[in-house]
Amino acid sequence: MVSRPGPTTRARIRELNGRTARERRDNLATEEPLEIRLVGLGGARKTVAITMRTPGHDFELAAGFLHGEGLAGPGEIASIAYCTDEDLPPEERYNTVTVRLRGPIPDLPALERHFVTSSACGVCGSASLDRLHERCAPLPPGGPPIDPEVLYGLPDALRAGQGVFGKTGGLHAAGLFTADGALLAVREDVGRHNAVDKLVGWSAMNDRLPLAGHVLMVSGRAGYEIMQKALAAGVPVVCAVSAPSSLAVDLAMEFGLTLVGFLRGERCNVYAGHERILME
């Protein structure tokens, strides 16, 4: 019986403190590959992604990835399960997820090659802003109004929800909040994009999409892929502890998102959509 991988792995280390050394055990963030396979009506199969991830919430990760890339929305998914194909070695079966669609596998340009993702870079060859317009409309102006004091409280609330980070110190996190700062869900992963996919997948599987009136908070920087996933999920406000990239700012401005970076203590930079931040 092969055990299912967990989010942490125990390791023996030598800890140095000045000129003193001691042997002890430490918790590491688990990193293993996950293959996402589509099965369409009629039995056609296609591998659409291979990502390095932290095991846990794998079905949410698959659903969130497919939604963010415009491959399958919640109503188009019949089932998600770990693969039990006999051709897979037992140790790989919890590292392969099969998503069965209600219809055929979509004939999209994105499927002309496999998506290969990693914990570091997200989806390689992501669509340009022009391509993004083909499947995502700009968000409507207005709401939700966000008080700056709500923004200032988000990093601590996110950190408090990071259970695995507390054990390992080695994971990114994404948190979904209401406009008044109530935390709805936190997901962790070695990949910042995977953490967002898990959160979007949780929302999709709980019939919460689109996420109008919500705030997405990420523990690292805000790059293009994170903004693309937020836009696809309908999130109007994205906050990051660290810096955004130039393309992330361009996307936010062009599609009507509010983008906040360097959110630490009672300071932050608003790069786009400042009209949603209440300053009176």
Side-chain angles (χ1 to χ4, degrees):
M1 180 70 177
V2 176
S3 62
R4 181 173 174 175
T8 62
T9 300
R10 296 283 281 173
R12 293 197 63 84
I13 67 168
R14 172 169 289 193
E15 182 182 62
L16 305 183
N17 186 354
R19 306 292 296 181
T20 303
R22 70 183 180 107
E23 304 288 332
R24 69 174 179 87
R25 290 190 174 274
D26 194 19
N27 288 306
L28 306 178
T30 305
E31 183 176 29
E32 293 203 2
L34 180 71
E35 178 180 346
I36 300 174
R37 295 180 178 180
L38 288 183
V39 177
L41 195 64
R45 293 171 176 260
K46 187 83 171 183
T47 293
V48 295
I50 300 172
T51 182
M52 300 303 296
R53 99 302 188 192
T54 298
H57 306 290
D58 291 331
F59 296 171
E60 294 176 356
L61 172 56
F65 173 82
L66 294 174
H67 179 82
E69 296 301 326
L71 301 180
E76 299 169 291
I77 295 175
S79 66
I80 305 177
Y82 288 109
C83 186
T84 57
D85 289 356
E86 293 298 326
D87 62 334
L88 276 181
E91 64 272 14
E92 293 183 19
R93 291 177 186 172
Y94 285 116
N95 287 338
T96 304
V97 166
T98 298
V99 181
R100 293 188 176 273
L101 303 179
R102 300 186 188 280
I105 294 176
D107 183 18
L108 298 176
L111 288 180
E112 292 176 359
R113 84 266 189 268
H114 291 176
F115 285 103
V116 179
T117 69
S118 76
S119 59
C121 71
V123 178
C124 300
S126 290
S128 66
L129 292 181
D130 289 342
R131 181 71 174 277
L132 199 54
H133 273 288
E134 296 176 7
R135 59 185 179 85
C136 292
L139 297 186
I146 307 293
D147 191 289
E149 293 301 322
V150 169
L151 292 181
Y152 301 149
L154 298 183
D156 286 344
L158 179 65
R159 176 65 184 84
Q162 291 183 251
V164 182
F165 180 88
K167 297 178 181 178
T168 66
L171 289 178
H172 292 284
L176 184 67
F177 294 83
T178 64
D180 58 3
L183 178 61
L184 299 177
V186 174
R187 293 293 180 264
E188 298 178 275
D189 202 278
V190 288
R192 61 175 64 89
H193 311 105
N194 292 342
V196 175
D197 277 338
K198 288 179 178 180
L199 203 58
V200 173
W202 173 83
S203 302
M205 295 171 76
N206 286 279
D207 297 321
R208 288 179 172 268
L209 295 179
L211 292 170
H214 293 74
V215 179
L216 172 66
M217 175 79 205
V218 296
S219 60
R221 63 182 178 85
Y224 170 76
E225 290 89 352
I226 284 178
M227 298 304 295
Q228 171 192 326
K229 295 174 188 297
L231 172 64
V235 182
V237 180
V238 179
C239 301
V241 172
S242 193
S245 69
S246 61
L247 193 55
V249 175
D250 290 345
L251 188 156
M253 295 181 67
E254 188 163 339
F255 285 87
L257 280 72
T258 297
L259 176 55
V260 177
F262 290 109
L263 180 52
R264 304 169 185 177
E266 294 195 355
R267 298 186 64 181
C268 64
N269 295 338
V270 182
Y271 293 88
H274 61 85
E275 62 276 2
R276 290 193 179 94
I277 311 300
L278 297 175
M279 296 304 295
E280 297 181 359

